[in-house]
Amino acid sequence: MKITIEMSEAAYEVAKKVYSQQITRTEGKIEINKVTGMNEGSAQAFITIFLAMMNGEVYKRAFNNDTNKLLFESIKRDYGKEYFIKALDASQKHVDYYSTLGKGTLSGLQSIINEMRS
């Protein structure tokens, strides 16, 4: 199933609740599934990626570029420049990690990162 921008917007609101420890990761993935129809595996990945971005840490799963852009813009709006930079750093680490897998490069995500840094 393709993850739409509407699904990502709703999932972001739930992921924020996980980040602020209002709900657990498990409760979050179930809520994302109920609210958006996103499967629980993708919902879990969404939460994991969001938390990694907030902490500036590498993540291994990927999302479409529209979702990545939404996450960057939303984090900047809701959490400020410090967390926005952490999100960009985490995504750069993801691009670097992905390039070691021999499956090509994430040139679209790299372009978004470069554009948002400037």
Side-chain angles (χ1 to χ4, degrees):
M1 163 192 289
K2 181 175 177 352
I3 294 173
T4 66
I5 201 70
E6 293 78 20
M7 292 165 88
S8 295
E9 287 169 344
Y12 172 75
E13 293 304 320
V14 176
K16 288 194 319 187
K17 290 196 255 179
V18 175
Y19 179 70
S20 64
Q21 299 180 330
Q22 294 174 294
I23 60 175
T24 66
R25 281 178 180 241
T26 300
E27 291 166 337
K29 81 175 178 186
I30 292 166
E31 185 174 337
I32 290 170
N33 171 260
K34 280 184 182 163
V35 172
T36 69
M38 187 185 295
N39 76 52
E40 287 189 12
S42 295
Q44 180 74 43
F46 191 100
I47 292 167
T48 299
I49 291 169
F50 173 72
L51 296 176
M53 284 184 172
M54 293 299 287
N55 293 315
E57 297 168 351
V58 67
Y59 54 91
K60 311 288 196 218
R61 293 277 306 266
F63 271 116
N64 64 62
N65 288 330
D66 290 338
T67 295
N68 288 316
K69 201 164 188 174
L70 169 82
L71 282 168
F72 296 143
E73 291 167 349
S74 300
I75 289 169
K76 187 176 186 182
R77 178 191 68 226
D78 295 341
Y79 297 96
K81 187 175 181 182
E82 177 188 346
Y83 286 92
F84 172 66
I85 300 294
K86 284 184 180 187
L88 292 175
D89 290 346
S91 296
Q92 186 63 59
K93 290 173 187 172
H94 174 68
V95 168
D96 296 345
Y97 158 78
Y98 192 86
S99 71
T100 68
L101 300 178
K103 297 179 183 177
T105 60
L106 297 175
S107 57
L109 179 55
Q110 185 65 67
S111 295
I112 294 169
I113 293 167
N114 295 345
E115 172 192 325
M116 296 207 135
R117 280 202 196 275
S118 55

